[in-house]
Amino acid sequence: MYAQRNLETRDLESICLMPQSEEELFYMSPRFVHPLTPEQILNIIKDRFEPTVIVVQKTDEVVAYANIYKDDSEESSFWLGNVIVSPSYRGKGAAQYLLDVMLDKAKLNLKIKEIRLACHNTNSRGLAFYSKYGFKPFDVKMTSTDAKKYITIHMIKELHLRYEESEQFR
């Protein structure tokens, strides 16, 4: 049902429509300002790796987006960022497909041994999803906007090559 490809300029407008509120946009990135614009996405991906969209195979409709970034304050720290799924595809496997693709790209393309992410305490659906995927909390930070205070939970997952993946490199 789904396929993945690298982000293209034509995808930006669709991604901008995915966050349904200021809070969802904050979950996607505290650096974004509501309403999300293509220029904000283009600005943030300058320092990102593997900007990826998930599309419906038959129609090429963009249904999810994410990328990976490096935390310059920690030498080998890579983070999953800007994760968003179209409202009409939530609960339909798009997030799972996106996460599988991004973890594979981190392991195979970037040779990352572990990946981190930040999820806010009010995003209980996201916290449950990432926990189910084997992400474990390792730090907690206070984050605030003009309107609200959040607890940002930093999570980490070790990335292991499956046997069949390791065979590709022999």
Side-chain angles (χ1 to χ4, degrees):
M1 175 172 182
Y2 299 115
Q4 63 88 19
R5 63 174 166 74
N6 293 333
L7 175 70
E8 298 174 4
T9 305
R10 65 186 170 117
D11 304 324
L12 297 172
E13 289 293 338
S14 296
I15 295 167
C16 289
L17 298 174
M18 291 181 190
Q20 297 296 287
S21 65
E22 285 187 47
E23 186 170 47
E24 279 190 15
L25 183 60
F26 181 79
Y27 293 165
M28 188 178 174
S29 173
R31 293 172 41 190
F32 287 150
V33 177
H34 194 271
L36 183 58
T37 62
E39 293 76 22
Q40 290 181 75
I41 297 169
L42 289 172
N43 189 45
I44 209 166
I45 65 169
K46 290 176 186 172
D47 300 320
R48 303 287 170 121
F49 304 96
E50 303 292 343
T52 301
V53 293
I54 303 305
V55 298
V56 175
Q57 281 183 328
K58 291 181 180 179
T59 64
D60 203 41
E61 176 187 0
V62 176
V63 299
Y65 169 73
N67 57 52
I68 297 170
Y69 65 97
K70 190 173 192 310
D71 182 349
D72 292 329
S73 67
E74 298 180 37
E75 191 164 318
S76 62
S77 176
F78 287 87
W79 295 72
L80 182 63
N82 303 139
V83 177
I84 189 76
V85 175
S86 172
S88 55
Y89 285 87
R90 293 175 188 170
K92 296 181 179 176
Q96 185 172 349
Y97 189 87
L98 174 66
L99 195 54
D100 286 341
V101 165
M102 297 310 293
L103 295 180
D104 283 347
K105 285 185 172 200
K107 287 186 293 192
L108 301 174
N109 298 356
L110 300 173
K111 310 294 187 245
I112 297 170
K113 302 225 182 304
E114 64 182 28
I115 193 158
R116 301 170 181 205
L117 60 82
C119 192
H120 305 287
N121 67 304
T122 52
N123 186 358
S124 55
R125 190 172 178 178
L127 288 168
F129 176 73
Y130 293 128
S131 180
K132 177 181 157 190
Y133 249 83
F135 282 86
K136 303 287 183 213
F138 73 92
D139 198 8
V140 175
K141 304 276 185 197
M142 290 297 295
T143 310
S144 60
T145 64
D146 293 337
K148 200 170 188 179
K149 290 188 179 195
Y150 295 90
I151 297 171
T152 303
I153 300 149
H154 291 179
M155 303 177 86
I156 191 166
K157 178 180 176 65
E158 288 187 31
L159 303 177
H160 303 286
L161 289 177
R162 295 183 302 268
Y163 177 76
E164 60 273 9
E165 291 170 341
S166 65
E167 286 297 303
Q168 294 174 16
F169 298 108
R170 291 183 184 211

